[in-house]
Amino acid sequence: MCAAGRRWGRRQRALLWVMLLAAWEAAWGQLRYSVPEEMPKGSFVGDVAKDLRLQLPELSHRGMRILNKGRTQYFALDGKTGHLVTAERIDREQLCRLVEKCALRCELIVEGEMQVYRIEVEITDINDNTPSFKEIELEERISEMTAPGSRFPLPDAHDPDSGRNSLQSYELSGDEHFSLAVQTGPGGDQRPELVLAKALDREEAAFHELVLRAMDGGDPARTGTARIRVTVLDANDNAPVFSQAEYTVRVPEDVSVGSTLLIVTATDADEGVNGHVEYSLKKVSDRTSNIFHLDSESGEISVFRILDYEEGDSYELEVQARDGGGLFDAAKVTIIVTDVNDNAPEISMRSALSEISEDAPSGTVVALLHVEDHDSGPNGEVRCSLDGTLPFRLQSSHGSYYRVVTARELDREQVSEYNVTVRAADGGSPALQSSAVLALRVLDVNDNAPVFAEERYSARLAENNAAGALVLTVRATDADWGQNARVRYRLSEGRVRGAPLSSYVSVQAETGALYALRSLDYEQVRELRLWVRAEDGGAPALSSNVSVLLLVVDENDNAPQVLYPPPALAPRWSEAGALVAKVVAVDADAGQNAWLSYELAKATEPGLFRVGLHSGEVRTARSPLARDAARHSLVVVVKDHGRPALSATATLQVVLAESVAELLAELGSAADEAAAPGEPAVSLTRWLVLAVAAVSCLFVAFLLLLLALRLRRWRRQQLLPPDSGALRGVPVSHFVGIDGVRAFLQSYSHDVSLTADSRKSQLRFSAGGSFPGSIFSFEHNVTGFSSFSFNPALFHHYLLVCMVPFDVLLYYYY
C-alpha cells in the first residue's frame, strides 16, 4: 500500500515538472513536441492553443499562422481545434541523415500582436529501413600462404534508422575456414572483418562461398545480406603501404567541378601482378560517393559535383590500396570544406501591416521580419538597416528577428505612402546584401481644419440687385483626405436692421457661393459684415471662419428733395448780391449721385435774381427798381450728378416791400393765396400779426437784457484798460433742417464797442451788409450816460429781417 502511494506521488511530481517545463517554455516563446516519422498527413502533434493559453475564437481573430523553415511545409495549424498537425509525411532518414536527434523547427506568427513563438518538433525514429550493403556480391582474393588469424575488412552495412532501430550486429555463415570479427571504429561504428580461421589450400578448394548478414535491433528485427566469394591465390608476401595513415585537405566550397583535391599514394614491394596497386573507396555513403571520385589507378581524388558548405562542412573517406595478390592497406582521408561568402542574407516578412493611422504613437510595430544568412563565421554575420531618413527604425527582437517600428508620429499630409527598404548585409569580403521593401499607406486622421484661400473677403454689389444674385465665392481647402477633407460652408448667426442675416444673404454649402436673397437698398443698408464658417466632414469636425464685407454700391435711384424755402422778403433798396433766400435740398443717394446743383429755370422778372450753382442761395442780380413788381415767383431746378441725372423743382415767392405795413399786406396776400380752400383769410392774417408781434417783443426783450448786463458791468469798472479790445461778434444760431440738413438762413452780427479814450461806447446792430448803420448809440463817463441816440429807420428795416424765421415757420405750417 505504501509502495503504491509512493509510486503515485512520483508520477504526480513528474507530471507537475512536465507541466511546469511546458509553461516555462511557453512563457519564453518556445514549445516542444515529438512525433514519430512516417505519420500520415493531418496527424496530431500538439495542442498549441492549450499550451499558449489561447481561446479558440481568438485564433482567427489574432491572425495566427505556422511558418516552416525551408521550402517544404511539414506542419500546419488547425484553426478549429488549435492543434498542430502534420502537413506532409515526414521521413526522418531523409531529413536527418547524419544527426542522431532529428528536430524540425517552425514558428507560430501571431500577426495581431506581432509575436513569434518558436516550436520544435522532434521526429522519433521507427524501424522502417533494412540494413543494406552497398554491394550484395563481394569477392575476396586471399593467398594460400596467408597465415591463419589474418584479417580482411568487409564492407559495412548501412541502416538509416537510429538508436536501436539502426545496425546492431553481423553474422557470417558458410565455411569453417573463416570466421567473423567485428571491430568498433573511432565513431562507435561497427566494422566487420573476415578472419582466416584455418589455412587455405588452393589445390583443395580454389573458392569459398560465404554469407554475411547485418541485423538491426528493431521489433521485429530487419536483416540485410551480402554474398562473399573467396578466391584462393598463390603466395603474395608484401602488402601495399600508404605514404600516410591519414590525409587531410582543406578546400573552398566554390572549387570547380573536376578539380583534383589530393592524390593518395601506396607502394608494394612485390613485382608483377602482386606489386600492382589499385585504389578503391571503402565505407563511403551514397551521398559521399556522388560528390567525390577516386581514380583507381592514380589515387587521385577529385570533385564530382559542386560543394556546398551549408550542406556539409567535412567529409571522411576510407581509401583502400590492394595489390594483385589480394593484400591491402587502408588510409583515412578527411576533406574539410571551408566557407565562402556565396550566400546573400535572406529577408522574409513574417508579418507586416499595409496601413497605419497617422496618429499611431511612436514605437508602433509595423512589420516583423526574419533575417538569415546560410554562411558561417563573419560571412554569416548580418547587419540590418533602413534606407533613407524615414520615420521608422529597426528594433532587434529575439534571435534573427527584427521589428520595424515608428520612430515618431506620422503626418499623412506630408507623406501619404512609404516604401520602407530594409537592407541586410553580411560580414564577408566583399559583403553580400539583399533588401526587402515594405509598402505602407498612411491612413488619414482629421487633424487639419479648413483653410480659406484669403484672410478676408470683400465684394461690391450695386443696389437694386435681383434676388438670388451671386455676390462672391469663398473657397477653403482641407489638407486631410476623403471625408475629412470634404468642406461645407454656412453663415454665422447675425442680424441686420433687426432682421436675421440669413434673410439677406445665403451661402451654398458645397461650393461656398454667396448669394443675395433680396434686393438691397443703399439708403437702408450700406454694407453687410458677416462671417462664413467652413467645416470639414471629420468626427469630430474641425472648422474655421472668415470675415466677408459686402459693400452696397449706390445707384442714382433717388431724385433730389427740396426741403424749403418759404416765401422770401427783400427790401426794395437792396443792393446787387443781397441774399434773399436759400433753397435747401437733399438727395438720399451718396457720392456723385448726391452732388446737387441749382439753376434758375423761370422768374417773373428775368435778370432780377440769380441762384448760386452749388449753394442754392437766391441773391439779387441787381438793385430792385420802383417799376419792379412787389411779388415775384422763381422756379429753381435742383439736379444731381447721377447718370442719368434726376431733378426736382422748387417755386419760391419773393416779396419786395418798402415798410412793415406793406410787408404785412403782402404776407397776408401771400397767405391768402397759399391757404387751403375753405380756410378763412382772417385767421391767417391774425396769426401772422401775432407772430410778428411775438418775434419783435422777444427781440426787444433780448436787447434790453443785453443793455442791462453791459451797464452793470460798466458801473463796476472804475477805469477801462487803455488797450481793451473790442467785444467780438456774437454769432446767431443756424437753422437745422429736416433729417439733420443744416439750412443756412442769414447771419447777422451785433457789434458793441467801448472806447476808453473817448469815454464813448457804441452798440451797433448791423444786418449783413444790406442795412448799414447803427440803431442805438450812446456815450458815457464814469458816473453815467452823457448822450443817447436811436435810429428808427434802421430799426424798421431790422424788423423786416426778423420776419425771416417767421417765413420758415409759415413754410412748415402750410
Side-chain angles (χ1 to χ4, degrees):
M1 189 75 169
C2 293
R6 285 193 294 273
R7 286 195 298 272
W8 183 85
R10 284 195 295 270
R11 293 194 194 99
Q12 291 296 104
R13 286 193 293 272
L15 180 60
L16 179 60
W17 277 109
V18 171
M19 293 177 63
L20 290 175
L21 179 61
W24 180 84
E25 290 178 345
W28 284 91
Q30 181 81 19
L31 298 177
R32 298 180 187 272
Y33 302 104
S34 64
V35 62
E37 65 173 332
E38 301 296 341
M39 294 293 290
K41 181 179 179 180
S43 298
F44 173 81
V45 178
D47 193 343
V48 174
K50 179 181 178 181
D51 295 337
L52 292 179
R53 300 178 182 178
L54 298 177
Q55 300 297 326
L56 291 180
E58 296 181 4
L59 295 179
S60 58
H61 176 70
R62 296 191 180 186
M64 302 176 67
R65 59 188 176 92
I66 293 293
L67 185 65
N68 291 266
K69 292 188 175 181
R71 298 182 178 88
T72 306
Q73 186 84 7
Y74 291 106
F75 302 102
L77 183 66
D78 191 332
K80 296 182 179 179
T81 62
H83 293 169
L84 183 67
V85 297
T86 58
E88 294 289 341
R89 185 180 294 272
I90 302 174
D91 186 358
R92 181 186 181 280
E93 289 72 37
Q94 182 180 0
L95 294 176
C96 309
R97 183 172 301 173
L98 301 176
V99 180
E100 180 178 355
K101 180 180 179 181
C102 182
L104 293 180
R105 295 174 179 82
C106 60
E107 295 166 347
L108 175 64
I109 307 296
V110 184
E111 295 186 354
E113 299 178 356
M114 292 291 180
Q115 291 291 335
V116 180
Y117 297 94
R118 291 185 176 182
I119 300 176
E120 182 179 291
V121 181
E122 182 181 357
I123 309 301
T124 59
D125 183 59
I126 64 173
N127 192 22
D128 59 340
N129 292 280
T130 301
S132 61
F133 293 92
K134 185 177 180 181
E135 298 178 4
I136 60 176
E137 298 288 340
L138 303 176
E139 183 178 358
E140 291 288 340
R141 301 165 65 88
I142 303 176
S143 173
E144 63 179 340
M145 298 300 294
T146 303
S150 298
R151 296 172 178 262
F152 302 92
L154 295 176
D156 295 343
H158 176 66
D159 192 336
D161 293 327
S162 63
R164 291 190 57 82
N165 296 328
S166 64
L167 179 66
Q168 297 295 323
S169 62
Y170 292 93
E171 289 183 358
L172 183 68
S173 62
D175 198 312
E176 61 180 1
H177 287 82
F178 297 94
S179 63
L180 182 67
V182 178
Q183 301 293 332
T184 302
D189 55 326
Q190 295 183 2
R191 299 180 178 182
E193 292 180 349
L194 184 65
V195 179
L196 181 61
K198 184 179 179 181
L200 299 176
D201 187 353
R202 184 177 181 279
E203 289 71 25
E204 180 181 344
F207 299 97
H208 296 271
E209 300 290 341
L210 306 175
V211 176
L212 179 63
R213 293 182 178 87
M215 295 168 290
D216 61 20
D219 186 14
R222 292 175 178 267
T223 303
T225 61
R227 294 185 179 276
I228 304 174
R229 182 182 177 88
V230 179
T231 303
V232 181
L233 303 176
D234 285 336
N236 181 20
D237 55 350
N238 289 290
V241 178
F242 279 99
S243 60
Q244 295 179 221
E246 291 187 6
Y247 293 87
T248 302
V249 63
R250 302 175 67 89
V251 295
E253 62 176 326
D254 61 348
V255 63
S256 59
V257 176
S259 299
T260 299
L261 304 183
L262 79 159
I263 299 175
V264 294
T265 304
T267 58
D268 193 317
D270 293 328
E271 294 181 356
V273 177
N274 294 331
H276 179 72
V277 179
E278 291 185 354
Y279 302 94
S280 62
L281 293 176
K282 298 297 180 181
K283 196 191 175 191
V284 61
S285 64
D286 296 338
R287 176 169 169 267
T288 304
S289 62
N290 293 330
I291 297 177
F292 303 102
H293 173 70
L294 173 63
D295 190 298
S296 60
E297 294 296 331
S298 63
E300 182 181 284
I301 300 176
S302 59
V303 179
F304 190 69
R305 69 175 181 87
I306 297 176
L307 298 178
D308 190 352
Y309 175 84
E310 287 69 39
E311 291 184 2
D313 57 354
S314 67
Y315 299 90
E316 289 186 358
L317 308 177
E318 186 176 320
V319 181
Q320 190 178 77
R322 184 186 292 270
D323 60 17
L327 299 180
F328 67 91
D329 190 14
K332 180 181 178 181
V333 177
T334 302
I335 301 175
I336 300 175
V337 181
T338 59
D339 183 45
V340 174
N341 192 25
D342 58 344
N343 292 282
E346 296 179 359
I347 303 175
S348 57
M349 292 288 180
R350 296 295 196 243
S351 181
L353 300 178
S354 60
E355 298 176 341
I356 184 173
S357 177
E358 66 174 322
D359 62 349
S362 177
T364 301
V365 181
V366 297
L368 180 66
L369 53 91
H370 180 263
V371 181
E372 184 178 11
D373 194 316
H374 295 292
D375 293 324
S376 63
N379 297 331
E381 296 177 357
V382 181
R383 301 181 305 276
C384 291
S385 61
L386 297 180
D387 284 355
T389 56
L390 301 179
F392 301 94
R393 57 185 172 87
L394 275 177
Q395 194 177 74
S396 178
S397 184
H398 58 274
S400 301
Y401 280 88
Y402 293 87
R403 287 189 177 98
V404 180
V405 301
T406 57
R408 61 177 185 271
E409 292 186 354
L410 307 178
D411 189 354
R412 192 207 65 83
E413 288 69 42
Q414 292 184 359
V415 181
S416 60
E417 291 184 354
Y418 289 95
N419 288 324
V420 184
T421 302
V422 182
R423 195 169 302 279
D426 59 25
S429 180
L432 299 180
Q433 62 180 7
S434 60
S435 62
V437 178
L438 170 65
L440 191 63
R441 186 163 65 94
V442 183
L443 299 180
D444 184 54
V445 173
N446 191 27
D447 56 350
N448 289 280
V451 178
F452 283 94
E454 300 181 22
E455 292 185 0
R456 59 184 61 86
Y457 288 86
S458 63
R460 301 171 66 88
L461 180 64
E463 65 172 331
N464 304 319
N465 59 283
L470 176 64
V471 178
L472 81 160
T473 300
V474 296
R475 196 171 304 279
T477 56
D478 195 309
D480 293 321
W481 182 81
Q483 184 68 21
N484 295 332
R486 183 180 179 184
V487 180
R488 296 180 63 86
Y489 306 89
R490 63 186 179 91
L491 287 177
S492 297
E493 296 295 332
R495 305 187 70 84
V496 178
R497 297 176 61 88
L501 178 63
S502 57
S503 64
Y504 282 85
V505 292
S506 69
V507 62
Q508 215 285 330
E510 299 294 336
T511 63
L514 196 68
Y515 296 95
L517 298 181
R518 62 167 66 175
S519 179
L520 301 179
D521 188 355
Y522 174 84
E523 288 70 38
Q524 294 182 0
V525 179
R526 298 197 173 190
E527 66 179 29
L528 290 176
R529 293 183 180 271
L530 52 99
W531 290 88
V532 176
R533 171 172 293 180
E535 191 174 83
D536 60 25
L542 300 179
S543 62
S544 59
N545 300 321
V546 69
S547 64
V548 178
L549 174 61
L550 176 58
L551 299 175
V552 181
V553 180
D554 181 52
E555 288 188 345
N556 193 25
D557 57 345
N558 291 281
Q561 180 182 0
V562 179
L563 300 181
Y564 61 89
L569 306 176
R572 285 188 175 273
W573 56 84
S574 298
E575 296 180 356
L579 178 64
V580 176
K582 182 178 178 68
V583 178
V584 178
V586 295
D587 194 315
D589 293 322
Q592 185 175 346
N593 297 328
W595 295 352
L596 302 180
S597 61
Y598 304 83
E599 60 183 60
L600 186 60
K602 184 179 179 182
T604 305
E605 184 67 33
L608 180 57
F609 300 98
R610 58 182 175 85
V611 177
L613 179 61
H614 299 293
S615 63
E617 294 178 348
V618 179
R619 295 180 180 272
T620 55
R622 58 178 175 81
S623 298
L625 302 176
R627 58 182 177 84
D628 291 332
R631 296 174 60 188
H632 293 267
S633 178
L634 305 180
V635 178
V636 179
V637 177
V638 184
K639 292 183 179 180
D640 60 24
H641 285 71
R643 293 184 180 181
L646 301 179
S647 62
T649 60
T651 302
L652 177 65
Q653 301 294 331
V654 180
V655 177
L656 299 178
E658 291 283 353
S659 61
V660 175
E662 184 180 356
L663 171 63
L664 294 177
E666 293 296 338
L667 289 177
S669 175
D672 292 342
E673 294 179 359
E679 183 179 355
V682 177
S683 177
L684 176 61
T685 304
R686 183 185 305 113
W687 283 109
L688 180 61
V689 173
L690 290 177
V692 172
V695 171
S696 300
C697 292
L698 289 175
F699 180 67
V700 171
F702 171 73
L703 292 179
L704 293 177
L705 178 61
L706 180 63
L707 288 174
L709 292 175
R710 296 300 298 174
L711 289 175
R712 183 179 179 183
R713 181 178 178 183
W714 292 335
R715 288 174 181 174
R716 290 179 180 179
Q717 294 178 349
Q718 297 297 327
L719 183 63
L720 291 175
D723 56 347
S724 174
L727 182 63
R728 298 184 181 275
V730 180
V732 181
S733 63
H734 290 213
F735 177 76
V736 179
I738 300 174
D739 295 335
V741 178
R742 184 180 302 273
F744 173 80
L745 300 178
Q746 178 66 42
S747 297
Y748 297 95
S749 61
H750 315 281
D751 296 333
V752 179
S753 60
L754 302 176
T755 305
D757 295 338
S758 62
R759 297 179 180 265
K760 293 182 180 181
S761 298
Q762 185 178 30
L763 175 63
R764 175 179 296 174
F765 300 88
S766 59
S770 298
F771 305 99
S774 299
I775 301 175
F776 301 101
S777 63
F778 55 89
E779 296 180 358
H780 72 92
N781 51 26
V782 178
T783 59
F785 292 100
S786 58
S787 65
F788 176 82
S789 63
F790 171 70
N791 191 336
L794 291 181
F795 180 74
H796 173 250
H797 291 303
Y798 194 79
L799 287 178
L800 293 179
V801 173
C802 291
M803 292 304 294
V804 173
F806 182 68
D807 294 342
V808 177
L809 178 63
L810 287 178
Y811 174 78
Y812 286 107
Y813 175 76
Y814 288 104

